[in-house]
Amino acid sequence: MVQSYLRHGPTQAFGLICSSSSNSLYDGKLAYVPALEDVLVWDMKRGQMLSMWHETGHRSEVTCMCRSPQENIFAVGYADGSVRLWNSAFISVIATFNGHQKSVTALAFDAQGARLASGSQDTDIIVWDVVAEAGLYRLRGHRNQITTIRFLSEPELPSTSSGSRSHMLLTTSKDTFMKLWDTSTQHCIQTIVAHRSEVSSLDIDPEKNFIFTGSSEGEVKAWKIDHEALSQGLVENEAGEVAKMIHPVTSLPLSSRHRVSQISFHPSQPYLAVQSHDRSIEVFRIRTEEEIRKKQARRKKRKDIDDAVDDAMDVDQEINVIDLFTPYLVVRASAKVRSFDFGSKEAASKPGVQLFVALSSNALEVYNIPPPTKSKEEAPEATRIYSVDLPGHRTDVRTLCLSADDQILASASNGSLKLWNLKTTACIRTIDCGYAICSTFLPGDRHIAIGTKSGEILIYDLASSALTETVKAHGSTVWSLHVRPDEQVLVSGSADKEVKFWEFERNVASNDEAKKSMTLNHTRTLKMSDEVLSVRYSPNGKLLAVALLDSTVKIFYQDTLKFFLSLYGHKLPVLAMDISDDSKLIVTCSADKNVKIWGLDFGDCHKSIFAHEESVMQVLFERKSHCFWTVGKDKMLKYWDGDKFENIQKLDGHHSEIWALAVSNHANFVVTGSHDKSIRVWEKLDEPLFLEEERERELERIYEDGIANELNRPDVTIVNSNEADAQPSGEAAAVTKQTSETLMAGERIMEALDLADAERTAFQEYEGKVAQAGSLEAAGIQPPPRNPILAAYDLDPEAYVLRVVEKISSAALHDALLVLPFDKVISLMRYLDLWTQKGWNVSLVSRMLFFLLKIHHHQIVANRVMRTALIPLRVHLRRSLRREKDAIGYNLVALQHLRRKTEAERTAQFYEEEDFDDEKVRARIAEGKKRKRVSIKA
């Protein structure tokens, strides 16, 4: 019989406040921050996590975030090149856009939030239609990673004017260029060599007059936008030169010359913030013209120059851009700054401006920038008003251990020890400690021992969160601690080549049982020939295993410390080991990427397994079984059968090397801690797992990814479209990217077409036979049996095909249609005609038809058979579209009428409440027409 195992699955990741893979957003109350593959929403005032945006099965890291002008809509870019639109109110994905080959590095919405531009490491810019959920076009021209994107709108156009206002797109890249694109013609209309090094950041001031760019050399430049040239377009002047739309103005002096990683204007207040140093953000105040004039006048007074010269200077002197921006203050954060954001909705409680800072050390802070004062004595200082840092470690998690009842998890890093309630994943204690390397709960679960890099063993009392004893145990790093199964002795192994044994002494301070403190009493020392990396007792309490830096494992009798076995075979040092519950197997993992399983009777190597792509950091047996877990620097957690030497399951979720591993004492779950500062719990599920099925599933996934990658290669074209022939290397290109989802969607359409064609052919044959036969014979002819799928759904063949097509997401539809071979396209055309005749989903039908005609233009023109199908299709489609247009026009007029009616009723109701007579009402309305209209909500 085939052996089955129980599958393990990810349940939750915690210990992460924010990761440094992406920028963060802040609206004055809530912070939207990246947390590896998720987005977390924090209430900064209360320090609570309100929600987690997580898509099941998606493992790519968040690399970029952008807020839409439309409420509750956010665009999030990922490392796999996908962009997802999230609705923050419902915590759900509205649309997924796949177009980039590499990670998304820049995102921007236009003024209405109807279009989204994304830039990537693959040097392409893609403009997406948010409403239609489709890619409009791809812009090529940059030669390196895109760093920033902004839509450029004209400020003088009123908000009610129609037409595409944001028809200009501004992009910067690591190739030192800043490019201005006209989105109406999809061409670059100006390329500027912005800096001598990478252009790392860009922002446009709220008045849309100036552009500020920052470079990796620490230089900030200001550029003026010529709106007159923008409105005229590419026009030659008298000298025959094309007018430039962006002109260089000046450089902005900064206090430090590091890489300018972010430039940001406040959306409403006169502030500009520049981050050009790891830990600080410079804030500039934008002065008004009146302030500058006053300052110029004061300067003139100080100079004793006669009045005539003064008058002349008054006329000549202009305001420079550099005079507008004055250094105001420097915000110094407590750690390295990853990104910052101004609060868009300012809190009314405190005067000033809020500046939100996301730190690389897994913490968030909000600073208050005070408003300018008249007095010159005291310089303005930013004050920290909120911070979120308790629910996570500042540095990577180095060690994990579980209490005996699996209720409490202890995690330790360089500087802090944290205790977590595993049911709620809440951090219940935070205690300062040194550089923790190893840890273990002591008998009774009231105390915990931490081995540090400096050679000390620290004993903490968990109830009081206090350090009860510091034992200067070793002269160098304590690499390993283990409690003997009889719970009487603790063993420690260190880089000072010594293994020390410590007995527990319980000192009762009073009669109260809870106030017992535990101390360590040194009893024996075992000196080794090399540095000790790991020590383990066998569960039967008879043997002690010691792993040394010389790549060997020495096994001793624990009572006499007499030498028993030497396990030799690893090429690099053994980093960790564990002994099975029956004390028959010992498993060792090493920096040579191998795991070896040994018998403890004779020290024979049962099997050597190449387990991970990088060093294997930890190994632990599952309780009461020969299955064991390994973690490595290749970010993987793996589950193995120690008797059959088979890999049962691979679990990927961490985004950096995994340092720590803890296995449940009841074999229900496993916990991992990583360099990415997250702690993940992997729970045993009820779902059975069969090794053969698992291997097949893995091969299928590799095969599908291989096909998609092959089709996405730049030198491969799926179909010979006009654009592909005419412009293989043009600036604008179509947005396509094949994924396993789009390939499967194409296959579903093909299957539906085959099924529907077979059904229609069968019924046509039946109708033909009935027509040929006489009336008596016709009664005896049986209709063909319906396809079971169509019978189950109770659908006609054409309705079933439409149902399949409608289920494909709008963003993946074009890529799915690209998969279809030409004979299937001809078949689909017939169904498009049937759908237009019946008026089914005309918008979808017309979108599919235009795309297929554009892609297969050559074959359709050359194929005479298509002519007979296309002529009636044109007639039917025009009729359907005219009907749709009339309906939309009628609805628009009706809505406008309703709006006018409600406005009139609201106005009349307002004046009636004021108790005016008719004459007063008319006079008031006439007066109101002259004033600015105010919408009064009912």
Side-chain angles (χ1 to χ4, degrees), residues 633-696:
K633 282 189 176 179
D634 60 356
K635 313 170 193 176
M636 298 291 281
L637 165 69
K638 294 190 181 183
Y639 188 35
W640 306 85
D641 186 331
D643 291 329
K644 293 189 172 182
F645 318 124
E646 289 269 16
N647 178 214
I648 302 166
Q649 207 179 346
K650 293 178 188 173
L651 294 162
D652 61 332
H654 282 290
H655 294 264
S656 198
E657 52 261 42
I658 305 173
W659 295 119
L661 173 72
V663 175
S664 152
N665 293 306
H666 301 104
N668 296 330
F669 61 86
V670 58
V671 190
T672 52
S674 164
H675 183 72
D676 62 21
K677 303 184 182 74
S678 73
I679 300 166
R680 287 173 193 258
V681 181
W682 313 81
E683 226 163 58
K684 189 175 276 188
L685 310 173
D686 295 332
E687 185 188 342
L689 179 148
F690 298 95
L691 293 181
E692 284 297 314
E693 280 182 18
E694 202 66 12
R695 299 288 172 272
E696 279 174 22

Side-chain angles (χ1 to χ4, degrees), residues 29-56:
K29 184 188 177 198
L30 304 180
Y32 303 87
V33 299
L36 303 176
E37 71 269 23
D38 305 327
V39 176
L40 304 182
V41 182
W42 292 92
D43 184 326
M44 289 304 296
K45 193 171 184 180
R46 293 187 298 174
Q48 284 182 355
M49 189 175 87
L50 299 183
S51 62
M52 176 191 279
W53 302 354
H54 175 78
E55 190 174 12
T56 310

Side-chain angles (χ1 to χ4, degrees), residues 400-419:
L400 295 169
C401 58
L402 280 161
S403 61
D405 57 1
D406 288 341
Q407 296 290 315
I408 295 175
L409 172 77
S411 64
S413 67
N414 179 8
S416 66
L417 161 69
K418 288 183 183 284
L419 300 180

Side-chain angles (χ1 to χ4, degrees), residues 143 187 193 197 226 244 250 346 433 483 523-524 624 811:
R143 294 176 190 166
H187 277 81
V193 181
S197 61
D226 189 341
K244 296 273 192 289
T250 183
E346 292 302 342
C433 73
V483 178
T523 55
R524 293 190 292 177
K624 300 188 174 79

